[in-house]
């Protein structure tokens, strides 16, 4: 689907009315110039397409923010599996702690943002619980500031 800016004019009894409208249309092909529709009025009013211009977007609007976030999460998990040896049979706190340590070491951002990403997108736990875990394991020194 492509976006088009369409300019419309109205005619009554063959004369152009002092009315113009621009509309955005989403279609596979460009609307034909000269295509018209008759509006129910007495006498009838003809609304005619007099100009069509394709709109080029610089952003891919077909991807949602949710799908982009899911791609980033999956990419980070694959990087973690490549860089850190993870045992599949041991899916407990130790694997979680390995991931937390790896994420904090490899990502350059303020600790508050890293903790928010970890709690919201990766571990699905509250940020308070994540901070408690980090305090117990003594993973980072700056966790007291949070």
């Amino acid at each position: 689907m492509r976006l088009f800016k369409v300019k419309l004019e109205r005619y009554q009894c063959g004369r152009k009315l002092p009315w113009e409208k621009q509309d955005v249309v989403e279609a596979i092909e460009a609307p034909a110039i000269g295509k018209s529709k008759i509006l129910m009025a007495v006498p009838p009013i003809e609304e005619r397409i007099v100009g069509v211009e394709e709109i080029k977007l610089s952003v891919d609007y077909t991807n949602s923010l949710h799908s982009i976030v899911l791609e980033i999460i999956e990419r980070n998990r694959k990087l973690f599996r490549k860089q850190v040896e993870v045992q599949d049979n041991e899916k407990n706190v130790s694997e979680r702690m390995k991931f937390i340590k790896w994420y904090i070491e490899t990502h350059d951002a303020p600790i508050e943002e890293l903790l928010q990403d970890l709690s919201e997108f990766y571990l699905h736990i509250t940020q308070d619980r994540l901070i408690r875990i980090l305090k117990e394991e003594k993973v980072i020194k700056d966790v007291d500031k949070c």
Side-chain angles (χ1 to χ4, degrees):
M1 296 293 241
R2 300 183 313 187
L3 292 175
F4 300 95
K5 183 168 66 171
V6 178
K7 183 177 177 184
L8 302 166
E9 291 180 348
R10 286 188 179 172
Y11 294 86
Q12 191 173 40
C13 298
R15 294 186 195 145
K16 182 182 176 302
L17 298 175
W19 181 92
E20 287 184 357
K21 178 182 174 184
Q22 289 190 355
D23 203 5
V24 175
V25 177
E26 185 177 18
I28 296 172
E29 303 227 354
I33 293 177
K35 186 175 178 183
S36 64
K37 65 180 178 183
I38 304 297
L39 304 176
M40 292 177 56
V42 177
I45 297 174
E46 177 187 9
E47 193 173 271
R48 188 181 310 163
I49 297 174
V50 294
V52 176
E53 180 182 329
E54 186 171 1
I55 300 172
K56 297 286 185 183
L57 297 177
S58 61
V59 177
D60 181 14
Y61 70 96
T62 58
N63 276 344
S64 68
L65 183 59
H66 180 72
S67 63
I68 293 169
V69 167
L70 289 178
E71 288 174 11
I72 292 170
I73 289 171
E74 189 60 32
R75 185 187 70 217
N76 281 334
R77 287 185 175 150
K78 286 178 183 176
L79 282 171
F80 169 69
R81 288 188 185 103
K82 286 180 184 178
Q83 294 179 5
V84 177
E85 189 175 300
V86 179
Q87 298 173 354
D88 288 337
N89 59 359
E90 193 180 4
K91 293 194 177 217
N92 56 12
V93 178
S94 66
E95 183 179 331
R96 181 186 287 176
M97 289 311 300
K98 286 180 184 178
F99 182 76
I100 292 170
K101 288 178 185 176
W102 173 84
Y103 193 81
I104 290 171
E105 291 170 1
T106 57
H107 291 79
D108 185 30
I111 190 70
E112 294 84 13
E113 290 180 22
L114 294 175
L115 292 177
Q116 181 181 357
D117 289 348
L118 282 167
S119 67
E120 192 173 329
F121 299 116
Y122 293 98
L123 303 177
H124 304 292
I125 59 176
T126 63
Q127 198 165 348
D128 294 336
R129 184 167 175 216
L130 178 62
I131 290 171
R132 256 186 292 137
I133 292 170
L134 293 174
K135 282 181 180 178
E136 289 171 6
E137 297 290 327
K138 298 178 185 170
V139 174
I140 51 176
K141 298 172 187 170
D142 295 338
V143 80
D144 294 329
K145 295 178 184 175
C146 299

